[in-house]
Every structure is written in C-alpha cells, then in structure tokens.
Amino acid sequence: MELTEFFQAHPQAAIAFSGGVDSAYLLWAGMRAGTRVKAYYAKTAFQPAFELEDAKRLAQELGAELEILPVDILCREEVTANPADRCYHCKRALFETILKAAKADGFSLVLDGTNASDDVSDRPGVRALRELEVRSPLRECGMTKAEIRRRSKEAGLFTWDKPAYACLATRIPTGEQITGEKLERTERAEEYLMNLGFRNFRVRLDGGRAKLQLPAAALPLVLENREEIVKTLRKSYDGVLLDLEVRDAF
C-alpha cells in the first residue's frame, strides 16, 4: 500500500507529532493527500526545547494545526523509577493524553511515525501503541528511514537530515531514578555540544560523570575542543569520559 492510498482510505486523522523526521513527513503527506489532519505534541520534561521549536516551525511552514499538550511525566512513579519497560509506561501516558484530546476534536484515528526500519520486536513503547490502537502508516506502507529522508528532502522539509534523537530519559541508566535535575543537566550538555558543531551523539550519565558517545568521524572535533569540553562539562559533572565503543549511529 502507498502512503497516499492509506490517507485516501482515512479522510481524517490525528497525528502524534514530535517534530522529528518521521512524524514531520507523515504530517506533510497527510496534508498533501487532502486528509483532514491535526498535529498533537505531547510536551514533557523528557524533550529538549529545540524539539518543540522544530515542531512549531514545521507546523507553521506547512500551515498545519498544532496543539501542544503538557504532560507531567515526572509525577508518574512507574516512569521515574526507570524500569526496563519505562518506555511502555511513558508511551501510555503520552498517547492517552493525545487520544483524549483527539477524541474531543472529533478524531477516532491517531497515527504515529514508527517506520519500517524501526525494530519493534523489543520496544516496550510499541506495545503501548498496539494496546491503544494507534496506527503507524509509515511502517504499514513499508517506508524505511532512508526513503523517508529522501522523500522529505524532495518535499523541501527542513527535517530531512535531522539526526535521530531519543528522549533525554534514555541518557540515564535503567534502574536509576529519573529527576528533573538530571534531565536539565543532560539537555544543557547536549545543547553545548551541538553549538560546537556535533551531530548524532549522546551525553550519558555514568555515576556522576558525563560519558560522551559520538561517531568516529567526530573524534577530530573532540580533540580540537578537548580542554574547553572538559572545562565546561566539569561544571555539571564529576568527570568527562569518552566512549570508544560507540556505534556510528543511534
């Protein structure tokens, strides 16, 4: 099935919108197909400020209706305890909020941006989507991440080459309590590195230390700015580590 055919079969739909590559393309495709769509952004402490700004920018550029839904995720012990299935509890909270808002607006169908490249076999969050009957048309239509990026570029979406970005909670080891302070510290550290020119990286919490995970191609930039990076991050962390076993993509 082509994505256009999916939208032709569903003349109206609510879209869980993160401002990332996948949901951005999904929103554009729905609007282009003539479907009545509305974007819903669930705002929590797990997302950095730039994600919301990207979501607002894209919605404005497309002329799409966007509703921002605040969710106090830090009040949920089943999430902040950071168990192995944290994503399940978090997704349930976010999508229950989106489903409620969408229903009030007359939508019976909610879509998300899971694509065909995503490994759903061991993702607790996907279980929550299935339980709530959220559809993933990009995945259903067999669209891979590479294809979505290519089509997004052709469509002129600025998100086409946006690096993948998992939520800030993923920087905290499983089983370690998630707090607002840890999330804010992580956001500041990653924003600082972004401003230095780094892309596709993570700053993970390792005890009280910052563990930098970057692709091999970024190592020259690390060495060039080594002293400044250490000096800046040591203001918020007990030490700065470089993970030499990182993957080239996240």
Side-chain angles (χ1 to χ4, degrees):
M1 180 194 306
E2 287 291 327
L3 191 57
T4 300
E5 294 176 301
F6 178 92
F7 279 115
Q8 288 174 344
H10 302 90
Q12 60 178 20
I15 296 179
F17 186 56
S18 67
V21 179
D22 301 322
S23 62
Y25 181 74
L26 186 63
L27 178 61
W28 174 85
M31 295 183 68
R32 187 170 183 270
T35 295
R36 177 195 169 221
V37 293
K38 180 176 178 179
Y40 295 84
Y41 183 98
K43 181 179 182 297
T44 76
F46 287 0
Q47 297 131 300
F50 77 82
E51 290 280 51
L52 177 56
E53 292 310 308
D54 282 355
K56 289 179 179 177
R57 175 186 168 188
L58 188 72
Q60 183 176 28
E61 291 183 0
L62 296 181
E65 187 176 2
L66 171 65
E67 183 172 348
I68 300 167
L69 304 170
V71 180
D72 185 3
I73 203 69
L74 294 180
C75 76
R76 296 174 179 265
E77 176 60 28
E78 68 273 20
V79 174
T80 58
N82 205 10
D85 63 347
R86 180 201 68 243
C87 285
Y88 168 78
H89 300 291
C90 185
K91 285 284 190 184
R92 286 270 332 184
L94 301 188
F95 277 87
E96 283 172 353
T97 300
I98 291 173
L99 284 161
K100 181 179 180 180
K103 183 178 180 181
D105 290 336
F107 294 100
S108 59
L109 176 65
V110 174
L111 311 177
D112 93 306
T114 302
N115 65 63
S117 297
D118 293 325
D119 181 6
V120 301
S121 61
D122 62 348
R123 291 178 60 178
V126 173
R127 177 161 58 94
L129 300 183
R130 289 171 177 162
E131 290 175 359
L132 296 171
E133 299 183 342
V134 174
R135 299 281 296 274
S136 303
L138 297 176
R139 182 170 181 79
E140 292 178 28
C141 295
M143 294 189 64
T144 64
K145 192 75 166 187
E147 183 179 3
I148 294 165
R149 287 190 185 279
R150 178 181 62 78
R151 292 195 185 190
S152 294
K153 185 177 183 180
E154 292 173 354
L157 304 179
F158 75 86
T159 51
W160 76 270
D161 65 343
K162 184 175 178 179
Y165 194 90
C167 82
L168 294 170
T170 62
R171 315 301 194 265
I172 302 171
T174 300
E176 180 175 335
Q177 187 76 16
I178 297 174
T179 67
E181 185 277 329
K182 292 175 183 176
L183 297 171
E184 291 166 5
R185 195 190 333 172
T186 300
E187 182 175 0
R188 288 195 307 270
E190 294 195 345
E191 181 181 18
Y192 164 71
L193 291 176
M194 284 181 189
N195 290 336
L196 285 180
F198 290 96
R199 288 168 58 87
N200 197 30
F201 69 94
R202 302 285 185 265
V203 178
R204 300 196 186 277
L205 188 62
D206 184 293
R209 301 167 298 185
K211 182 167 68 174
L212 278 56
Q213 295 184 326
L214 312 105
L219 292 180
L221 188 58
V222 173
L223 296 177
E224 179 184 343
N225 295 276
R226 174 182 172 276
E227 292 185 7
E228 182 184 344
I229 291 172
V230 172
K231 180 180 178 181
T232 300
L233 296 187
R234 284 280 294 184
K235 295 175 182 177
S236 302
Y237 296 90
D238 297 333
V240 182
L241 306 176
L242 179 61
D243 187 348
L244 296 179
E245 296 183 300
V246 296
R247 299 165 293 170
D248 280 343
F250 294 91

